[in-house]
Amino acid sequence: MARMISSGQTGDMALAHFDFGPCVSAGGVLFRLWAPKHREVKLRIEGSAPTEMKRDEAGWHTRFVEGAGKGTRYKFVMPDGLEVPDPASRFQPEDVHWPSEV
């Protein structure tokens, strides 16, 4: 599991070490995807509109979602609009082409 470092009251999280897959905390979930060839990636929580993920210089795209937790379903949205499940998903309740689940 990645070691989490809180950056104060903003709810932003920084990782000292990255693992793959979502990282669950008491306040929500940090979603992350390594996609170094893409300048932007969005996260779509099932039932919600896609939201921008923050990209770092190493190509990691991250988004902390307050209130998300076990059972949250999600996909990543690529720049061309293609929605893909998490390649590091630990649970695909329907199939590998459907949303991933925390």
Side-chain angles (χ1 to χ4, degrees):
M1 167 110 20
R3 191 179 75 184
M4 302 294 291
I5 302 169
S6 176
S7 64
Q9 296 179 346
T10 64
D12 293 337
M13 304 298 262
L15 290 177
H17 169 71
F18 278 103
D19 293 355
F20 288 95
C23 186
V24 180
S25 70
V29 175
L30 178 66
F31 294 91
R32 52 210 170 157
L33 175 70
W34 187 63
K37 293 184 179 183
H38 295 296
R39 298 304 308 160
E40 63 178 54
V41 174
K42 294 180 180 180
L43 171 70
R44 185 176 68 80
I45 301 294
E46 196 169 67
S48 300
T51 56
E52 295 287 335
M53 298 181 80
K54 183 177 181 179
R55 184 187 191 279
D56 71 15
E57 61 281 345
W60 284 99
H61 298 261
T62 59
R63 177 79 183 203
F64 183 77
V65 178
E66 288 185 42
K70 184 178 177 182
T72 300
R73 290 182 160 202
Y74 65 100
K75 280 190 169 187
F76 297 114
V77 183
M78 300 294 108
D80 64 1
L82 178 67
E83 293 189 7
V84 297
D86 189 343
S89 173
R90 295 177 186 97
F91 187 48
Q92 289 297 128
E94 295 178 63
D95 193 356
V96 296
H97 301 290
W98 294 90
S100 301
E101 187 173 316
V102 177

